[in-house]
């Protein structure tokens, strides 16, 4: 029997989907190791405990609530100290974090504080006997490593979307815990949060991504890409490095070796030739559609469905057809 | 300011990789190497900070075999003042083991700012920077896309999923560099390349920590089915939509 710790990420008082993913993964690890308890940590301003029920519904036996008025924004030092103190005192076999922007900041701090192993950005977790291994893409998705985490507790961070939340109701007994350090003593402080457009899907979370490249010829022509994304209804907009370097689109939308790595169900590449730099970030997408005027463009080598021709003619037609198809259900 | 930038020598990603006979590593035969992109941007950011504030010193630190000296010479050619190689036979996969060696070197260096790339493009773990900060007990801001330093304090922006977080922190601090912080790293000029040959490059044994994670199997990704071109022009759209619905089931 082994108990497992999970960090349930919140932002602005709201529980993020990745929080349910870590609890789901922790539940699986605990069950594979003989059915120990899952203890999920929630941190935020008072009121954050309202998410305990959702964590219980996804397999948390205990919800550790760290509520403090000074913790409405992520405070790396306070959260790392508090998570490390709990993991150290709790005797857990494993600790699961998300490989989100927050989790990628938090997990290595906790690992260093505890002096234990951390496998970062796992796309799958395996338990065999008493051994925990994860699968991790390396070298821009050109290699897949199996990582073994020595020692206890074994920490890992889970790529968003790698494990989908699964309901598995447990008691979810709430346990209030004080922060392990005075939030006033934190040196790094969030002074401002700038939210993106509300309701806009992030690249990591979107089931569909429509991405544009230089073939669109000008920044304003990204309207075509946005319209197509809008037609799908569940799509985010991405871009190539050439386009973000030229300032047509923000760097946060760049997909590729030095940008985001994505693996949506559907990736639509518009006016993208398919430089290796770009393919590195999207080649693990489930289905790839490419629209490009050059039939010899490398993007067609990875595209499940390619259309050769003028994006300015094809994309509006596709947008209309997708709208029509979705209307029909 | 006295700035340290930790840089990593990584294989050039535009190559085909093969698995070594051991089954747990890349076959290094014939591979070309380069500085990890994020580290190159960190060097550029450090140079710009010192240019803006007038003066200062930039020290680059790289862990690994003697081949990393080539990577450090590039940073020196870009404008760094001196280099320190933390010598090991091979670069361990475990970020914590590396962080111990970096922290041991950085501890008494008197740096105002320590920069690292947010991740190395080969291992793609992104753990070393925050680990170094924890081991040194310094404030840390990871994955910054904007950084201003003034009067012993820093202000940085970090991209979150769908939002931007603005943070303030005191120096000395550890900052890891994301894309967007600099537009492009400078190309070393011939003068810089010549000067770099004479800049000091110290070699010390790396005080690696114990490995806590290891690669027990390395594999190539499953092959994708070869691409398929459905046709030309907007007339092909109905067929595409049919396939998206019936074959790919994504619509």
């Amino acid at each position: 029997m082994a108990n497992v710790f999970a960090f349930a990420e919140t932002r602005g008082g709201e529980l993020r989907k990745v929080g349910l993913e870590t609890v789901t993964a922790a539940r699986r690890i605990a069950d594979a190791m003989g059915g120990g308890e899952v203890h999920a940590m929630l941190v935020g301003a008072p009121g954050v405990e309202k998410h305990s029920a959702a964590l219980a519904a996804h397999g948390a036996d205990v919800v550790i609530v760290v509520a403090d008025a000074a913790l409405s924004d992520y405070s790396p030092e306070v959260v790392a100290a508090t998570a490390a103190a709990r993991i150290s005192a709790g005797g857990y076999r494993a600790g699961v974090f998300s490989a989100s922007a927050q989790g990628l900041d938090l997990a290595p701090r906790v690992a260093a504080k505890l002096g234990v192993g951390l496998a970062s950005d796992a796309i799958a977790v395996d338990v065999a006997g008493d051994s925990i291994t994860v699968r991790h893409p390396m070298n821009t998705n050109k290699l897949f490593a199996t990582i073994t985490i020595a020692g206890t507790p074994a920490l890992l961070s889970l790529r968003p979307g790698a494990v989908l939340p699964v309901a598995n109701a447990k008691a979810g007994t709430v346990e209030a815990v004080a922060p392990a350090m005075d939030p006033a003593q934190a040196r790094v402080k969030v002074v401002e949060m700038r939210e993106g457009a509300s309701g806009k899907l992030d690249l990591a979370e979107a089931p569909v991504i429509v991405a544009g490249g230089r073939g669109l010829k000008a920044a304003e022509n990204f309207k075509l890409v946005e319209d197509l994304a809008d037609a799908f209804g569940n799509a985010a907009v991405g871009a190539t490095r050439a386009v973000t370097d030229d300032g047509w689109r923000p760097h946060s939308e760049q997909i590729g070796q030095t940008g985001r790595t994505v693996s949506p169900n559907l990736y639509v590449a518009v006016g993208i030739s398919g430089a290796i730099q770009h393919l590195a970030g999207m080649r693990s997408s489930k289905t790839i559609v490419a629209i490009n005027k050059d039939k010899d463009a490398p993007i067609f080598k990875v595209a499940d469905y390619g259309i050769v021709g003028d994006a300015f003619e094809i994309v509006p037609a596709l947008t209309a057809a997708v709208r029509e198809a979705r209307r029909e259900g | 300011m006295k700035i340290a930038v930790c840089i990593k020598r990584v294989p050039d990603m535009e190559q085909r990789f093969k698995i070594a006979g051991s089954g747990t590593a890349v076959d290094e035969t014939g591979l070309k190497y380069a500085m990890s992109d994020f580290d190159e941007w960190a060097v550029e950011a450090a140079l710009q900070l010192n240019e803006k504030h007038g003066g200062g010193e930039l020290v680059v630190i790289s862990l690994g075999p003697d081949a990393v000296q080539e990577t450090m010479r590039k940073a020196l050619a870009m404008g760094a003042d001196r280099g320190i190689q933390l010598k090991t036979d091979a670069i361990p996969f475990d970020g914590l083991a590396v962080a111990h060696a970096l922290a041991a070197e950085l501890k008494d260096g008197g740096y105002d700012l320590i920069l690292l790339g947010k991740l190395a493009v080969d291992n793609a773990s992104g753990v070393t920077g925050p680990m170094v900060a924890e081991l040194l007990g310094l404030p840390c801001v990871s994955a910054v896309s904007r950084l201003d330093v003034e009067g012993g304090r820093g202000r940085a922006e970090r991209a979150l999923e769908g939002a931007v977080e603005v943070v303030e922190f005191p120096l000395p601090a550890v900052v890891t560099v994301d894309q967007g912080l600099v537009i492009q790293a400078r190309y070393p000029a011939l003068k810089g390349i010549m000067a770099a040959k004479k800049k000091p490059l110290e070699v010390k044994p790396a005080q690696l920590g114990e490995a806590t994670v290891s690669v027990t199997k390395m594999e190539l990704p499953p092959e994708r089915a070869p691409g398929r071109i459905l046709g030309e022009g907007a007339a092909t759209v109905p067929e595409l939509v049919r396939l998206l619905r019936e074959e790919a089931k994504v619509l």
Side-chain angles (χ1 to χ4, degrees):
Chain A
M1 289 263 282
N3 291 352
V4 178
F5 174 91
F7 186 79
E9 182 172 326
T10 61
R11 192 202 294 170
E14 293 310 310
L15 179 65
R16 302 196 66 235
K17 182 167 157 244
V18 294
L20 299 178
E21 294 172 5
T22 55
V23 171
T24 298
R27 181 76 263 159
R28 268 184 212 159
I29 296 170
D31 287 347
M33 291 188 140
E37 292 183 353
V38 169
H39 295 191
M41 179 176 274
L42 262 177
V43 182
V48 76
E49 61 277 5
K50 71 179 177 202
H51 301 301
S52 303
L55 301 181
H58 288 82
D61 299 278
V62 173
V63 179
I64 308 152
V65 174
V66 186
D68 189 298
L71 295 176
S72 56
D73 288 314
Y74 170 59
S75 175
E77 291 157 283
V78 177
V79 179
T82 308
R86 174 66 187 213
I87 292 171
S88 171
Y92 299 106
R93 176 64 184 88
V96 184
F97 296 81
S98 175
S100 59
Q102 189 184 109
L104 284 171
D105 184 83
L106 175 62
R109 295 175 189 259
V110 174
K113 277 183 191 292
L114 298 171
V116 300
L118 165 64
S120 191
D121 193 24
I123 55 168
V125 184
D126 240 338
V127 176
D130 189 46
S131 153
I132 301 176
T133 60
V134 309
R135 204 165 149 79
H136 167 64
M138 290 179 46
N139 292 36
T140 65
N141 280 334
K142 288 181 170 181
L143 296 171
F144 285 82
T146 301
I147 314 286
T148 301
I149 317 164
T152 297
L155 304 188
L156 61 99
S157 66
L158 198 63
R159 179 176 291 192
V163 169
L164 297 176
V166 174
N168 184 349
K170 298 284 170 186
T173 313
V174 172
E175 187 186 330
V177 166
M181 79 176 260
D182 177 3
Q185 299 300 313
R187 297 163 296 182
V188 178
K189 289 206 163 80
V190 175
V191 293
E192 190 188 337
M193 279 287 284
R194 287 205 297 269
E195 294 293 334
S198 66
K200 208 174 115 187
L201 276 172
D202 182 72
L203 287 170
E205 292 158 357
V208 177
I209 291 174
V210 184
R214 269 262 175 74
L216 285 164
K217 296 195 171 80
E220 57 270 25
N221 295 333
F222 258 78
K223 177 86 169 55
L224 288 180
V225 169
E226 285 169 351
D227 286 349
L228 179 54
D230 195 45
F232 278 108
N234 55 352
V237 171
T240 61
R241 180 164 172 186
V243 158
T244 56
D245 276 356
D246 279 355
W248 293 4
R249 302 297 294 186
H251 279 286
S252 58
E253 289 181 3
Q254 187 204 318
I255 292 164
Q257 178 179 331
T258 53
R260 306 282 296 271
T261 302
V262 296
S263 34
N265 290 333
L266 174 63
Y267 190 90
V268 184
V270 179
I272 292 175
S273 64
I276 288 172
Q277 211 287 132
H278 185 74
L279 298 182
M282 48 66 76
R283 67 189 323 148
S284 58
S285 304
K286 221 167 113 216
T287 299
I288 297 173
V289 170
I291 298 166
N292 200 296
K293 66 177 190 322
D294 175 9
K295 68 172 178 25
D296 296 321
I299 191 78
F300 286 125
K301 291 205 169 64
V302 300
D304 300 282
Y305 310 119
I307 301 184
V308 180
D310 183 2
F312 295 93
E313 174 204 337
I314 297 163
V315 175
L318 180 57
T319 302
V322 169
R323 275 193 209 286
E324 182 61 29
R326 291 193 64 233
R327 200 173 301 129
E328 290 167 6
Chain B
M1 282 193 295
K2 186 172 179 185
I3 306 177
V5 181
C6 303
I7 61 177
K8 185 176 182 188
R9 178 178 186 263
V10 299
D12 185 329
M13 290 301 143
E14 300 203 0
Q15 303 176 86
R16 210 173 262 281
F17 293 106
K18 283 185 292 203
I19 308 296
S22 67
T24 61
V26 171
D27 180 356
E28 296 185 10
T29 317
L31 285 187
K32 289 201 286 277
Y33 287 81
M35 196 187 314
S36 180
D37 305 62
F38 296 92
D39 299 347
E40 211 170 296
W41 296 333
V43 172
E44 177 63 35
L47 289 168
Q48 287 182 14
L49 277 171
N50 275 348
E51 283 159 8
K52 185 178 165 196
H53 293 98
E57 188 188 11
L58 174 53
V59 180
V60 288
I61 301 173
S62 192
L63 180 142
D66 288 343
V68 305
Q69 291 182 12
E70 185 193 343
T71 313
M72 283 196 287
R73 289 288 174 204
K74 169 154 191 205
L76 296 173
M78 286 169 70
D81 297 296
R82 60 187 174 93
I84 301 169
Q85 176 195 355
L86 302 177
K87 189 166 173 160
T88 58
D89 294 337
I91 305 175
F93 175 81
D94 185 19
L96 190 54
V98 172
H100 272 287
L102 294 175
E105 173 57 33
L106 291 161
K107 184 163 52 103
D108 300 318
Y111 298 103
D112 301 298
L113 190 61
I114 296 164
L115 298 181
L116 303 90
K118 82 159 177 182
L119 55 76
V121 295
D122 56 351
N123 290 355
S125 294
V127 299
T128 308
M131 285 176 167
V132 166
E134 283 296 335
L135 296 175
L136 293 173
L138 290 178
C140 174
V141 188
S142 66
V144 312
S145 50
R146 200 186 154 134
L147 174 65
D148 295 302
V149 174
E150 206 62 70
R153 290 193 63 79
R155 184 183 168 93
E157 293 185 6
R158 297 172 17 86
L160 309 181
E161 297 83 4
V164 173
E165 190 177 76
V166 186
V167 300
E168 289 184 357
F169 56 96
L171 300 188
V174 175
V175 171
T176 76
V177 172
D178 201 353
Q179 54 157 340
L181 181 61
V182 299
I183 303 290
Q184 199 173 30
R186 65 194 66 188
Y187 290 106
L190 184 61
K191 200 175 141 205
I193 295 169
M194 299 310 287
K197 292 181 179 159
K198 297 192 189 102
K199 287 181 177 173
L201 202 161
E202 204 180 337
V203 182
K204 301 178 177 180
Q207 298 172 43
L208 288 170
E210 205 183 319
T212 52
V213 290
S214 57
V215 177
T216 41
K217 192 175 179 190
M218 187 84 86
E219 296 163 280
L220 296 173
E223 284 289 326
R224 266 200 99 85
R228 169 153 63 124
I229 291 181
L230 302 177
E232 286 190 26
T236 318
V237 165
E239 174 65 358
L240 171 62
V241 170
R242 186 188 70 78
L243 289 166
L244 290 179
R245 291 188 102 165
E246 294 171 14
E247 195 176 80
K249 300 191 191 327
V250 288
L251 193 62

